[in-house]
Amino acid sequence: MRKAIKRHMGSAVAWGALGILVVFAVCSLLAPVLTPYEANAQDIMNRLVPPAWCAGGSLEHLLGTDELGRDMLARLLYGSRSSILVGVLTAMLSGGLGVTLGLLSGYFPKADAVIMRIADIQLAFPSMLLALAIVAVLGGGFFKLVMVLGITGWVSFSRVIRSEVLSIRTSDYILAAQTVGVGQARILFRHILPNIIAPAVTISTFQIATAIISESSLSFLGLGIPPTTPTWGNMLHAGQLYMDSAWWISLFPGICIMLIVLSINLLGDVLRDYMDPKTRQN
Amino acid sequence: MSEALLEVKQLKKYFPIRSQLLKREVGAVKAVDGVTFSLNTGETIGIVGESGCGKSTLGRVLMKVYEPTGGEIYFGGRDITRLRGAELKEHRKQIQMIFQDPYASLNPKMRVRDIVAEPLWVNRMMSKEEAYGQVDSLLTTVGLRPTDAPKFPHQFSGGQRQRVGIARAIAMSPRLIVADEAVSALDVSVQAQILNLMMELKAANHLSYLFISHNLAVVKHISDKVGVMYLGNMMEIAEKNLLYHDAKHPYTQALLSAAPVADRTHKSQRIVLKGDVPNPANPPEGCPFHTRCAQCKNICKVEKPAFVKVADMHYVACHLYGGEQVQGNAS
């Protein structure tokens, strides 16, 4: 009985999380329809207007305006486009890179020596400095930013994946596959890879959140997305200066980031359970 | 008498011990230290010994999972000691393995049909479709149902999982199966079922087994002859009844006296060994067993006893017995 409730609850949570993600996706696509304002339309006369339900707020700006009089709702809607894209693309890139390198490093001791030393160097090196260096050489822009974040993010994947592979590699079922004559490539991708998907999914969800926030710091330094493009990250950042007078500027993007990360995390859990044959049955 | 399928001569496997800092070799664990025996087609040899005596390592060296440090292995008359690459892959079709823990030896993310069919098609013995076509009959052979094919390992009991492992091992029709503690992890009633299955398969397919176990009763049930290992050395090999009723080596005698016997009239004179098994990284000089042997003589402390024939089908490495010396072709 308790199990039934738990399972039922589990699916309710999953649907809720999926719902939130769908709402975000639809809103970002339909931004021009949902709000009459341009994301960058300044209105100095109406700067720092509080949200509609607060004293001094007006229905014209439901979530208020920022320090330049730009409509918060419009900026959130338009900002979701780049933020979600940065998060997802970065997680995919660093995940692909990190899982591959982690697999190799866990399975081949010689590759391990090289890959893990590079990882150590990268961990010791301030990632912001590395990002700055890469951007300085390659220049800024959306895809450069994704690349930089992706490259700085692979270590957290490969460290975890490597240790998982190390323990799986010596298990009897891998030995069994070797003794029946299965080749190394097939052992890596068909026997080991399915067993490390669960931790990889968990780290990706975390990576999406980190990327959305890192994007803001890089953009703040003028290295990522230009300030004319609204992102949740740069809104959060801009609001810092007005924390005590106009809390809404950073609160709303913060809530958005939290909601999206939470729903991705919950979905990740469900996905992980689904991929485990033990919990998929019944 | 049939031809020797497997001949092992003075097989050695040392695992190097490296220093922490410089990774220099500072010593070696002598897991298998000069083991000689042979096995005929259709025969089962049981290998018994305490934990850490090297019996599992012996099995894995024969599987060529570990490279032997020294000695020779002949399989079907062919020297396989140094086989590599494609030749090794080809050879492995003929020796397969059944593992101890049926929970660890099946990939939790693979369906039974994939586990059982994989050996057949990865070796290009047949196409993928044909391999999957074989799954039903293989499962039936090991006492499972064809409807079990799409299931995952966790949906089976320990005994059923071991049957899946056996189906995988026999899929390529090997000539020798190394069973490393194949029933130790199972309930006693299931042990009997699995042992009977293995014996049926042996009769039907002309298989040979190298059956590694610490359980004397199980080994007695399944084996034709039995080898006793201690600290990486073969102490005694004999035809089953000779070994169980007329053990020569003091270690074998102690081992047998320690095994429980379900017979109230049986008067047990237990030989209790003193001390512990010496460290295989630093084995004693002379006979490896002399530190614990009640019948230890002076010569035992300095000279390692040779393997001698004491009777037909009965060989022992002990200074208490003189006899015809054997140079690496005990059978």
Side-chain angles (χ1 to χ4, degrees):
Chain A
M1 184 64 193
R2 262 177 65 190
K3 258 189 174 168
I5 291 172
K6 213 175 159 188
R7 200 178 305 140
H8 197 70
M9 286 288 286
S11 71
V13 168
W15 284 112
L18 191 65
I20 291 176
L21 287 183
V22 168
V23 167
F24 271 114
V26 168
C27 286
S28 70
L29 287 174
L30 296 182
V33 184
L34 292 174
T35 172
Y37 299 101
E38 288 283 321
N40 285 317
Q42 298 184 7
D43 181 3
I44 299 297
M45 298 305 289
N46 279 321
R47 64 194 289 265
L48 300 176
V49 172
W53 59 89
C54 294
S58 87
L59 281 176
E60 287 181 15
H61 300 287
L62 275 179
L63 298 179
T65 62
D66 67 4
E67 74 280 9
L68 295 172
R70 297 176 293 197
D71 184 63
M72 285 294 297
L73 183 61
R75 286 183 69 74
L76 277 181
L77 290 173
Y78 283 104
S80 66
R81 295 179 169 184
S82 35
S83 285
I84 295 174
L85 215 54
V86 164
V88 172
L89 287 181
T90 301
M92 278 165 63
L93 182 66
S94 56
L97 208 62
V99 167
T100 315
L101 290 173
L103 268 177
L104 293 178
S105 141
Y107 196 72
F108 301 106
K110 281 188 181 150
D112 186 42
V114 179
I115 294 171
M116 281 302 118
R117 289 303 78 73
I118 297 174
D120 286 343
I121 293 169
Q122 182 157 339
L123 279 182
F125 206 79
S127 58
M128 190 56 76
L129 199 60
L130 180 68
L132 278 175
I134 297 177
V135 171
V137 174
L138 298 175
F142 182 80
F143 287 102
K144 304 264 171 54
L145 178 83
V146 168
M147 219 180 79
V148 166
L149 291 175
I151 288 172
T152 49
W154 69 274
V155 179
S156 47
F157 279 93
S158 51
R159 290 237 140 196
V160 175
I161 298 301
R162 169 183 175 267
S163 61
E164 292 276 321
V165 174
L166 279 179
S167 72
I168 293 172
R169 189 174 70 125
T170 52
S171 69
D172 277 355
Y173 62 84
I174 297 301
L175 180 63
Q178 285 164 345
T179 55
V180 301
V182 180
Q184 285 189 327
R186 193 175 160 79
I187 285 181
L188 263 181
F189 293 104
R190 285 300 167 86
H191 290 251
I192 296 181
L193 188 62
N195 284 292
I196 54 162
I197 291 292
V201 166
T202 313
I203 308 168
S204 324
T205 54
F206 178 71
Q207 199 75 13
I208 292 177
T210 320
I212 290 177
I213 295 174
S214 317
E215 174 269 316
S216 70
S217 3
L218 278 177
S219 300
F220 179 74
L221 292 170
L223 299 167
I225 296 168
T228 46
T229 313
T231 69
W232 292 343
N234 63 28
M235 291 169 74
L236 198 66
H237 229 105
Q240 275 180 6
L241 291 175
Y242 303 90
M243 248 342 227
D244 45 356
S245 55
W247 46 268
W248 54 89
I249 302 178
S250 37
L251 182 70
F252 293 126
I255 289 176
C256 285
I257 294 175
M258 189 202 79
L259 274 179
I260 208 154
V261 168
L262 186 66
S263 13
I264 291 171
N265 271 327
L266 291 172
L267 265 191
D269 279 353
V270 173
L271 205 62
R272 197 190 56 208
D273 288 350
Y274 176 75
M275 276 181 298
D276 185 354
K278 269 185 206 164
T279 43
R280 176 167 33 178
Q281 303 303 323
N282 317 312
Chain B
M1 201 158 142
S2 43
E3 50 151 333
L5 175 69
L6 178 73
E7 271 194 86
V8 175
K9 292 181 183 171
Q10 288 299 317
L11 190 68
K12 293 188 174 83
K13 175 64 196 175
Y14 297 168
F15 293 102
I17 306 167
R18 292 182 193 282
S19 65
Q20 284 273 299
L21 200 60
L22 294 169
K23 305 282 177 208
R24 264 204 324 237
E25 217 173 301
V26 292
V29 175
K30 298 177 175 173
V32 176
D33 195 11
V35 165
T36 299
F37 67 93
S38 79
L39 179 65
N40 295 330
T41 305
E43 246 186 354
T44 299
I45 185 170
I47 304 284
V48 292
E50 296 168 73
S51 312
C53 71
K55 51 193 197 298
S56 289
T57 308
L58 174 66
R60 287 177 187 214
V61 173
L62 294 178
M63 292 297 300
K64 298 277 291 173
V65 175
Y66 300 145
E67 277 297 305
T69 310
E72 287 152 42
I73 310 167
Y74 291 91
F75 187 81
R78 183 165 173 231
D79 185 356
I80 61 157
T81 323
R82 303 276 164 227
L83 278 192
R84 288 188 164 275
E87 276 186 314
L88 175 60
K89 208 173 162 184
E90 191 59 34
H91 161 73
R92 275 191 174 152
K93 290 179 195 168
Q94 303 191 42
I95 305 188
Q96 280 299 306
M97 194 161 180
I98 301 173
F99 293 86
Q100 173 172 13
D101 181 0
Y103 290 86
S105 61
L106 304 176
N107 192 330
K109 305 275 168 145
M110 282 173 81
R111 291 175 195 275
V112 164
R113 59 162 176 257
D114 298 317
I115 293 174
V116 175
E118 192 173 42
L120 290 170
W121 66 263
V122 293
N123 286 299
R124 307 230 161 76
M125 291 169 87
M126 54 183 71
S127 74
K128 225 168 173 171
E129 289 70 34
E130 285 173 301
Y132 281 93
Q134 295 279 307
V135 169
D136 285 2
S137 76
L138 278 167
L139 289 181
T140 317
T141 312
V142 297
L144 295 169
R145 286 179 310 240
T147 48
D148 291 329
K151 292 186 185 166
F152 284 98
H154 69 91
Q155 290 170 284
F156 294 94
S157 68
Q160 288 173 316
R161 282 161 164 254
Q162 200 59 307
R163 287 174 193 269
V164 175
I166 293 174
R168 169 174 62 193
I170 61 166
M172 292 191 286
S173 319
R175 295 166 72 188
L176 171 67
I177 289 182
V178 174
D180 186 358
E181 301 272 12
V183 297
S184 314
L186 306 173
D187 288 349
V188 176
S189 59
V190 182
Q191 282 190 1
Q193 292 170 14
I194 297 292
L195 288 174
N196 288 339
L197 170 66
M198 287 176 69
M199 288 166 92
E200 281 163 28
L201 290 171
K202 175 185 154 187
N205 302 308
H206 221 52
L207 278 170
S208 305
Y209 289 119
L210 183 103
F211 194 92
I212 298 165
S213 182
H214 61 264
N215 187 330
L216 290 162
V218 165
V219 167
K220 188 178 182 181
H221 183 65
I222 198 166
S223 306
D224 298 310
K225 58 185 180 187
V226 179
V228 179
M229 279 183 77
Y230 181 80
L231 213 63
N233 289 266
M234 196 65 92
M235 307 309 263
E236 184 165 11
I237 295 183
E239 189 275 324
K240 170 170 69 176
N241 291 316
L242 281 176
L243 188 102
Y244 279 85
H245 296 117
D246 188 21
K248 297 290 186 201
H249 201 286
Y251 178 63
T252 316
Q253 290 166 355
L255 209 59
L256 289 172
S257 80
V261 178
D263 178 4
R264 292 224 321 240
T265 59
H266 178 86
K267 57 177 191 334
S268 96
Q269 282 189 325
R270 205 163 152 190
I271 307 166
V272 180
L273 293 180
K274 293 191 178 64
D276 289 320
V277 182
N279 181 358
N282 185 21
E285 290 278 311
C287 173
F289 185 59
H290 86 254
T291 53
R292 303 170 75 193
C293 183
Q295 302 173 57
C296 176
K297 300 189 289 185
N298 279 335
I299 187 174
C300 302
K301 294 174 184 164
V302 286
E303 195 184 315
K304 195 168 172 176
F307 223 44
V308 296
K309 186 174 183 175
V310 288
D312 199 29
M313 304 277 283
H314 197 159
Y315 300 83
V316 65
C318 180
H319 287 299
L320 294 174
Y321 305 94
E324 191 189 325
Q325 281 219 2
V326 185
Q327 288 302 333
N329 56 350
S331 68

